[in-house]
Amino acid sequence: MPGEVYSQLMKELVEGKYVFTGELEPEKAGDVKEPIEAARELVGLVTACNVTDNPQSFAYVNSLAAAYKIEKETGMECVYQLRCADRNRMALLSDVLGAGVLGIKNILALAGDHVSLGDTPDAKPVFDLDSTTLIYMIRKMVDEGKDLAGNDIHNPPKLHVGGAAAPGAAHLKAEVAKVKRKIKVGVEYLQTQVVYYPEILDKFFKELGKVDVPILVGIFPAKSFGAADFFDKYVAGVDVPPDYLKSLEATKEIKDKEKKKQEIDRINVEYFTSFLEYLKGTPAAGCHMMAVGYPRIIAPLKKVME
Amino acid sequence: MIAQEQKPIEEILGYLEGKNNIVIVGCGGCATFYHTGDKKAVDGMADKLEKEGKKVTKIYMPFSMQVCETEKSGVFLNKKRKALEDCDAVLVMSCGDGVQVATEYIEEGMGLMKGVYPANNAIGLVGGGPTKFKETCLSCGMCELGKTAGICPLTSCGKGLMNGPCGGVRVDNKCEIDPEKDCAWVKIYERMEKLGELDKFLEMRAPHEWSKCKRPRLFEIEEPVNMMSAMIGAMPGFLTYTFSAKPKLGEKE
């Protein structure tokens, strides 16, 4: 856990408050109106929101620019996601310094999906660093005021670095060892990939044992059958429960838009109520709600935890 | 060929720390050309390890017997099965390809779980010789030579630009990162000029399709090569080479 606290997210985690975070996705567009609107709806409901960096290797608005705009226009604290897939260590360092200049206080350091999986498959995959070395670099920058080559950084940035964990990984032992390695190099908080099954999370926490780093468990209330289906088919390490998928699929038949929305919300609240109830009894420090484009679901879900 | 050089002995000894019984595997392929896996190299390495108090078993791979081909290396590894069973570690004197083929073969083909360590650093797919070599090909999966007058800019240009030269060319047409190296794009220009194809130079070449190089690349061929007939077939060429007057190094026609 850090000595100094720079962000609201870290403050609440250090205080042991149960923390909620949300997720905002900039798109392939010349503006960030949509994530800004979503952020406005979430102000007061979540402590901070992740701003995704080319998710699934689809090239979108730069996440630093988006995070800055969102913070400035809505007051929502952002977790700036930064992936190694598209930038070498120099670009990553520049971006981290830039984040400091723009007042960003949280970074989520990720390796990122392979570029061939997204909408620009011919791009050269970079991966000069990986998630662990990026975390190491950021801590070195913040704590020692040095870059990876040992050069001094004048007036180093003050921000926190988080990392990801995948409880549903095919090889749990290797995944947990990797997470421990991230902890060893100084990751300050962890956000997990989406989890649907309590058994999976139980196994993960058991394998990990007691750690001194707060873990926010990811859930994905889907705004449509398509979104859940995409996750099930294309996101590694995540199996969406067939029953939940089926109930969402049935909503495709509902013609009335308002009724359809209500039914989707009902399904999500029903499914996630029991999961969130369960989550209370785990070592999770909070919940990362990846309800991209679906901010209205956060309030009813949060009620469950009150 | 895959050029290579031996790692510093301190690094190798670091890998072998606490391991006293070592099997050294040479390589009769590229490593023989670079003296990093031939008999002399294996003997030299054995001397160094023995001086450190280690017990060494040597597996020589004769010329043209590469570690990277399981069919060949398997024969030589199996001949020394007992030594491999008893050893604490295996040191392979080949490129990284050979090291990994040996690792997999010793574990899966021979059922032995042993630490396998590299003695060399592979430094590129090179051409030329017999003493001077140049890295020329990335094996990128999408050859661009048809668009660049037969010179690969991804390999030969320090920046791997598809549309050079960059602004860093030195006055003598050398590269900004190394005054010893020619600017690949000046070379491409000059070749296109001589070929009367400067119109091609003016065309923008699209960014390289890196999707053709999704690692690790795997592939299969329908018919494996028959080693015996390939060797017999190679004999006339080999004899021609042996008994012909070869051009002297650097000699031009």
Side-chain angles (χ1 to χ4, degrees), chain B residues 4-9 11-12 15-16 24-25 36-37 41 45 49 90-96 99 116-122:
Chain B
Q4 47 202 278
E5 58 191 9
Q6 199 174 97
K7 284 177 175 291
I9 189 69
E11 184 185 339
I12 296 171
Y15 298 135
L16 302 179
I24 301 176
V25 181
T36 51
M45 180 58 72
L49 298 188
V90 181
L91 182 68
V92 181
M93 302 189 71
S94 69
C95 67
V99 177
V116 181
Y117 299 92
N120 301 334
N121 290 321

Side-chain angles (χ1 to χ4, degrees), chain A residues 93-123:
Chain A
L93 179 122
S94 295
D95 286 355
V96 172
L97 290 176
V101 170
L102 294 175
I104 301 292
K105 295 297 177 197
N106 311 292
I107 295 184
L108 184 71
L110 304 166
D113 293 311
H114 194 281
V115 297
S116 65
L117 301 174
D119 69 352
T120 316
D122 286 335

Side-chain angles (χ1 to χ4, degrees), chain A residues 228-241:
Chain A
D229 193 45
F230 180 87
F231 233 79
D232 189 47
K233 285 191 176 131
Y234 301 110
V235 179
V238 181
D239 285 319
V240 181

Side-chain angles (χ1 to χ4, degrees), chain A:
Chain A
M1 293 292 263
E4 275 184 80
V5 170
Y6 308 118
S7 71
Q8 185 62 25
L9 172 66
M10 193 47 70
K11 182 172 178 284
E12 292 185 15
L13 288 171
V14 169
E15 285 169 356
K17 216 174 144 190
Y18 199 87
V19 169
F20 289 91
T21 49
E23 187 146 308
L24 304 166
E25 192 170 296
E27 295 179 329
K28 201 182 283 289
D31 61 67
V32 279
K33 279 182 196 155
E34 230 177 85
I36 283 177
E37 272 166 35
R40 281 208 177 99
E41 278 195 58
L42 294 177
V43 171
L45 287 173
V46 296
T47 303
C49 272
N50 287 32
V51 179
T52 54
D53 178 16
N54 292 351
Q56 278 98 41
S57 282
F58 282 64
Y60 294 154
V61 174
N62 173 284
S63 54
L64 176 55
Y68 170 71
K69 267 287 225 195
I70 291 164
E71 283 202 352
K72 196 175 167 214
E73 295 200 10
T74 70
M76 168 66 73
E77 184 169 294
C78 288
V79 176
Y80 158 44
Q81 292 195 359
L82 180 60
R83 48 179 240 154
C84 302
D86 320 311
R87 299 168 181 84
N88 68 10
R89 65 190 84 179
M90 287 181 73
L92 290 166
L93 179 122
S94 295
D95 286 355
V96 172
L97 290 176
V101 170
L102 294 175
I104 301 292
K105 295 297 177 197
N106 311 292
I107 295 184
L108 184 71
L110 304 166
D113 293 311
H114 194 281
V115 297
S116 65
L117 301 174
D119 69 352
T120 316
D122 286 335
K124 187 179 193 173
V126 182
F127 300 105
D128 181 25
L129 300 187
D130 50 55
S131 50
T132 306
T133 43
L134 178 56
I135 291 163
Y136 173 79
M137 182 185 85
I138 295 173
R139 283 304 301 260
K140 205 173 158 75
M141 292 170 72
V142 175
D143 299 343
E144 300 169 32
K146 300 260 187 207
D147 67 11
L148 275 181
N151 301 304
D152 287 329
I153 295 168
H154 174 63
N155 196 9
K158 291 182 169 154
L159 38 78
H160 299 290
V161 59
H171 197 303
L172 185 61
K173 285 189 181 213
E175 172 65 19
V176 165
K178 184 194 74 185
V179 170
K180 285 182 175 167
R181 189 163 58 200
K182 289 182 184 180
I183 295 173
K184 212 170 144 185
V185 301
V187 78
E188 294 169 273
Y189 61 92
L190 293 161
Q191 287 178 315
T192 78
Q193 181 53 285
V194 170
V195 184
Y196 283 99
Y197 297 100
E199 317 74 277
I200 285 181
L201 196 58
D202 286 343
K203 270 191 204 158
F204 171 75
F205 278 128
K206 196 175 165 208
E207 186 69 33
L208 185 63
K210 197 176 156 15
V211 293
D212 199 19
V213 171
I215 300 171
L216 302 168
V217 172
I219 64 166
F220 180 64
K223 66 172 175 179
S224 65
F225 167 71
D229 193 45
F230 180 87
F231 233 79
D232 189 47
K233 285 191 176 131
Y234 301 110
V235 179
V238 181
D239 285 319
V240 181
D243 290 354
Y244 171 71
L245 262 182
K246 229 178 178 180
S247 359
L248 283 174
E249 193 171 16
T251 64
K252 289 205 303 196
E253 304 300 320
I254 305 171
K255 295 276 178 300
D256 185 282
K257 269 192 175 174
E258 206 42 50
K259 276 190 184 153
K260 190 175 181 171
K261 272 185 172 179
Q262 283 170 10
E263 177 60 6
I264 288 173
D265 290 1
R266 191 196 63 75
I267 293 165
N268 277 310
V269 170
E270 188 185 295
Y271 185 83
F272 287 104
T273 295
S274 58
F275 188 82
L276 288 170
E277 290 284 359
Y278 147 79
L279 209 54
K280 284 183 194 171
T282 71
C287 180
H288 176 52
M289 301 199 264
M290 288 185 224
V292 172
Y294 190 25
R296 67 172 191 273
I297 198 66
I298 305 286
L301 288 181
K302 237 195 110 181
K303 262 193 188 156
V304 178
M305 302 302 278
E306 281 163 4

Side-chain angles (χ1 to χ4, degrees), chain B residues 2 25-30 61 64-74 92 94-102:
Chain B
I2 298 169
V25 181
C27 179
C30 313
M61 295 283 290
S64 84
M65 295 288 132
Q66 300 91 323
V67 190
C68 61
E69 285 179 52
T70 320
E71 205 185 0
K72 294 176 180 174
S73 51
V92 181
S94 69
C95 67
D97 189 17
V99 177
Q100 293 177 78
V101 168

